[in-house]
Amino acid sequence: MIQTIDLRGTRPTPSELLAAVPRAATSVTVASDVAAALIEDVRARGEVALLDQAERLDRVRPAHVRVPASEIAEAIAGLDPVVRTAIDETIRRVRIASAAQVPPLVTTTIADGAVITQRWQPVNRVGLYVPAGKAVYPSSVVMNVVPAQVAGVSSLALASPPQSDHDGRVHPTILAVAGLLGVHEIYAMGGAGAVGAFAYGVPGLGLDPVQLVTGPGNVYVAAAKRLVRGVTGIDSEAGPTDILVIADAAADSRLVAADLVSQAEHDELAAAVLVTDSAALADAVSARLAELATTTTHSVRVTAALSGRQSAIVLVDDLTAAAAFSNAFGPEHLEIQTLDPQAVLAMIDNAGAIFLGAYSPVSLGDYVAGSNHVLPTGGQARFSSGLGAYTFLRPQQVVDYSRDALLAVAGHIAALSAAEALPAHGDAVTARFSADAEG
């Protein structure tokens, strides 16, 4: 069912490791043309394009794209009390962890009268995307909204695909959680078209462009985010999920297999990878995967994900090699199930989120760990990070010099500006100390 990649007895170079990493055939690059057409359609035709796309892609034409307040109130009233309790606890934990991500304002005195203040300023308006295709993700509402609120974002708009089994409405649980968090600008729109609507705005809906688009989605959502970057900011390209487990002979094959399946059930393009120095564990996990794939609720989806080219069991000589492979893969979720997880952690550079030991499964992070589950996928963790309060903040340096402090460095400025053949830079400083300026 799942392929084996045997790297034992080899010492791959960094380039060779990158080439050995399993990836899905359908990538963000492949999806870009489709995403671009959907975005351009929204730019040209606005609300009508969004309605047409919903009818074609979501198999339902919503009565309205902008969700009325009455539907949000109705969804809150109908929320299962058990789910609400779980949501309330998730909100509490994510809010605590997000608050720790806000850097303090720092003022540094460079010299007498020379002060630099480092402040972190939130963006004003954000578009939050919450997927609802193969599954419904009220937890993603929490993961998007709470850190934005903690950061101080003043205007939040949320988009989620219309549901054919709810008469074209946004899923009621998503609406309820958004309402509980105080988000009332909600749109029944999904996919690349929704990302385009956030980036460029839709005047007919009263939807103003946003400064930042965040949230997970399928490969077309990830492609759309790549396309609009530069028009608006994005968090990361959070597309089809992936999990990589580093495990040794001390790991429990039942738990490793269960964790791989837990992410494989998201999408046929989900990647599930085990990297181990134990052939016995590899065989045991492979056998358990075959069993679980036939009995789990989303058997067809899981089987497709595990048998896809993006999933694998990778055999290596030792845990140092396992860490090197993981760093090349850049997993969204990295589990370390070894005798000494901390020792392996010390070798890890690239990962969206890291889960240590048998009692920190990815499922914990998906819901109530307090960490954020909106993470970079498809190797993006090699150079980007997961969603957090810091995502919504921009570092700004505020420069405040007195007359004497500027005079003390005026000669340096003149010398450097002359060396760069930009004399007007130096002139702008010396003008402040000329007789005319004094007058």
Side-chain angles (χ1 to χ4, degrees), residues 197-396:
F198 277 151
Y200 294 100
V202 182
L205 289 172
L207 171 53
D208 294 324
V210 302
Q211 294 169 272
L212 183 69
V213 178
T214 71
N218 61 21
V219 69
Y220 298 99
V221 171
K225 289 168 77 174
R226 179 181 293 184
L227 290 168
V228 301
R229 179 187 288 169
V231 175
T232 187
I234 67 169
D235 53 343
S236 65
E237 295 176 13
T241 191
D242 60 70
I243 177 175
L244 186 147
V245 181
I246 295 176
D248 60 14
D252 187 329
S253 62
R254 296 177 306 110
L255 302 183
V256 173
D259 291 350
L260 294 173
V261 169
S262 75
Q263 297 307 299
E265 75 172 345
H266 276 287
D267 193 288
E268 291 83 354
L269 296 178
V273 179
L274 166 64
V275 185
T276 183
D277 60 351
S278 169
L281 178 70
D283 290 341
V285 170
S286 181
R288 291 191 179 277
L289 287 175
E291 295 172 7
L292 288 174
T294 62
T295 58
T296 190
T297 299
H298 300 293
S299 176
V300 174
R301 192 184 305 160
V302 168
T303 299
L306 293 177
S307 59
R309 59 185 287 179
Q310 71 275 11
S311 297
I313 293 176
V314 182
L315 289 165
V316 293
D317 288 324
D318 51 40
L319 294 178
T320 299
F325 186 91
S326 179
N327 284 328
F329 188 92
E332 175 190 15
H333 307 103
L334 170 62
E335 287 189 358
I336 302 176
Q337 296 193 35
T338 60
L339 189 62
D340 186 356
Q342 291 290 344
V344 177
L345 177 63
M347 296 186 282
I348 296 300
D349 298 317
N350 307 326
I354 302 169
F355 302 83
L356 298 182
Y359 296 99
S360 302
V362 169
S363 297
L364 174 66
D366 282 341
Y367 297 110
V368 296
S371 58
N372 202 295
H373 78 203
V374 182
L375 302 166
T377 62
Q380 300 277 320
R382 291 185 298 116
F383 48 80
S384 60
S385 62
L387 190 69
Y390 45 74
T391 305
F392 305 94
L393 297 169
R394 297 158 298 168
Q396 296 174 342

